[in-house]
């Protein structure tokens, strides 16, 4: 099952994609793709619906973030072997966790704003894990039972803010529009193996990232179990699981985004995104 959200920012309507990819309006059944709708019981209710009984949404609408009202967005650093190598850093012995402010979340094809004063805005294609049932001290063998599904994420980063402004990474990760999510949420039965997904990203048509989730140091089940030791994971929380090699920081010389660039990215089974970068102050 594929779930999505369509409409203007703050006014998105929940949708179920039918077999042809047509968005079918769920707003008469649920208020959003969020919270308890993403639990096992909530998803079972949606799975029982015949999409043909739902009205089609009008074509051409903006695609919103695939998950609404995200409570926490937890990111994992240096979680791909090839990315750690290009960063000249050792593989972590435990997952490196940081938070991305939920105000960074935007639609998969919305413009990305280069922040005020930025000179090192970077890209990162990532597999997102959406929590379904509450997870607290979950054993590894039961971790995937708490997953609602998976999403495509661009974990944009401002490297100067992240690495040169002191303190935690969160400052370089949380700028507005630095968290495109979608175009849809694929429930977990759609993805046979989250550790066998091709991942790619291009800037202006040049492919910089061409990897696979098999390169993860810590897989999805490990991350859900591990994070649930330190904080309760709630329905609709999102874990962004790390990026493969090919980020701008890892280029020789480093290469960063400029206004007018076009970023395109995708993950097997999770669709694609396309963002245009704009200068700070060019949008409201």
């Amino acid at each position: 099952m594929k779930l999505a959200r369509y409409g203007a920012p703050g006014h998105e309507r929940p949708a179920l994609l039918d077999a042809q990819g047509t968005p079918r309006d769920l707003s008469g059944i649920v208020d959003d793709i969020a919270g308890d709708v993403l639990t096992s019981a909530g998803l079972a209710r949606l799975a029982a619906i015949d999409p043909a009984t739902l009205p089609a949404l009008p074509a051409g609408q903006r695609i919103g973030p695939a998950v609404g009202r995200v409570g926490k967005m937890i990111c994992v650093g240096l979680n791909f072997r090839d990315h750690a190598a290009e960063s000249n850093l050792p593989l972590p012995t435990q997952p490196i966790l940081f938070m991305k402010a939920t105000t960074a979340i935007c639609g998969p094809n919305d413009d990305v704003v280069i922040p005020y004063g930025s000179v090192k805005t970077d890209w990162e294609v990532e597999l997102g894990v959406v929590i379904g049932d509450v997870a607290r001290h979950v054993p590894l063998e039961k971790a995937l039972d708490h997953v609602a599904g998976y999403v495509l994420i661009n974990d944009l980063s401002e490297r100067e803010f992240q690495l040169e402004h002191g303190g935690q990474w969160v400052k370089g990760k949380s700028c507005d529009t630095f968290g495109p999510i979608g175009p849809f949420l694929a429930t977990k039965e759609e993805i046979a193996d989250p550790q066998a997904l091709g991942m790619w990203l291009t800037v202006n048509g040049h492919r910089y990232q061409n990897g696979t989730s098999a390169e993860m140091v810590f897989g999805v089940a490990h991350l859900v179990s591990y994070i649930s030791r330190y904080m309760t994971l709630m329905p609709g929380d999102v874990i962004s699981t790390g990026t493969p090699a090919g980020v701008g920081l890892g280029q020789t010389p480093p290469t960063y985004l400029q206004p007018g660039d076009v970023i395109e990215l995708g993950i097997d089974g999770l669709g694609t995104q396309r963002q245009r970068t704009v200068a700070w102050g060019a949008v409201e």
Side-chain angles (χ1 to χ4, degrees):
M1 185 167 57
K2 295 182 177 69
L3 304 172
R5 301 167 72 246
Y6 289 80
H11 301 280
E12 292 92 349
R13 296 167 73 90
L16 185 156
L17 304 187
D18 67 18
Q20 290 72 44
T22 301
R24 300 285 184 160
D25 190 357
L26 282 171
S27 59
I29 297 169
V30 296
D31 67 339
D32 205 351
I33 307 300
D36 288 347
V37 171
L38 295 167
T39 64
S40 297
L43 292 178
R45 181 185 178 202
L46 296 184
I49 298 170
D50 178 358
T53 65
L54 301 172
L57 286 172
Q61 292 193 75
R62 167 186 174 267
I63 306 174
V67 183
R69 303 196 301 270
V70 175
K72 295 189 291 295
M73 190 166 182
I74 305 152
C75 302
V76 187
L78 296 176
N79 195 37
F80 278 65
R81 296 173 183 86
D82 52 0
H83 177 50
E86 75 173 348
S87 302
N88 295 313
L89 292 169
L91 293 180
T93 57
Q94 295 189 48
I96 297 170
L97 305 181
F98 59 92
M99 308 291 275
K100 183 186 283 279
T102 55
T103 49
I105 294 172
C106 64
N109 302 322
D110 291 349
D111 288 347
V112 164
V113 178
I114 305 294
Y116 175 76
S118 168
V119 293
K120 297 181 180 179
T121 295
D122 203 347
W123 56 83
E124 296 185 14
V125 58
E126 302 208 0
L127 171 64
V129 179
V130 180
I131 297 299
D133 293 333
V134 173
R136 184 183 298 113
H137 295 285
V138 174
L140 180 66
E141 63 273 15
K142 295 185 177 180
L144 295 184
D145 295 343
H146 296 261
V147 172
Y150 302 95
V151 290
L152 170 61
I153 293 174
N154 189 355
D155 175 27
L156 290 133
S157 311
E158 213 297 337
R159 301 302 188 186
E160 184 178 67
F161 298 177
Q162 177 188 357
L163 302 173
E164 302 172 42
H165 284 197
Q168 302 290 326
W169 289 0
V170 65
K171 287 185 285 189
K173 297 285 188 171
S174 294
C175 302
D176 291 350
T177 72
F178 270 26
I181 297 178
F184 54 79
L185 181 154
T187 52
K188 61 185 175 184
E189 74 278 358
E190 296 268 338
I191 302 298
D193 183 357
Q195 306 307 145
L197 301 176
M199 309 168 66
W200 60 270
L201 181 145
T202 69
V203 180
N204 300 329
H206 177 80
R207 183 163 290 206
Y208 283 96
Q209 294 188 274
N210 193 32
T212 168
S213 60
E215 280 289 309
M216 282 187 188
V217 180
F218 305 104
V220 170
H222 185 113
L223 291 173
V224 172
S225 175
Y226 181 88
I227 295 169
S228 76
R229 292 174 53 195
Y230 298 96
M231 65 192 82
T232 298
L233 295 170
M234 299 297 293
D237 284 350
V238 175
I239 302 170
S240 199
T241 59
T243 196
V247 301
L249 179 64
Q251 305 304 307
T252 305
T255 301
Y256 297 113
L257 294 165
Q258 304 296 324
D261 287 343
V262 174
I263 313 164
E264 295 179 279
L265 57 148
I267 295 179
D268 292 348
L270 297 177
T272 62
Q273 299 183 359
R274 185 182 189 275
Q275 297 115 24
R276 179 177 64 102
T277 58
V278 298
W280 184 87
V283 294
E284 295 183 0

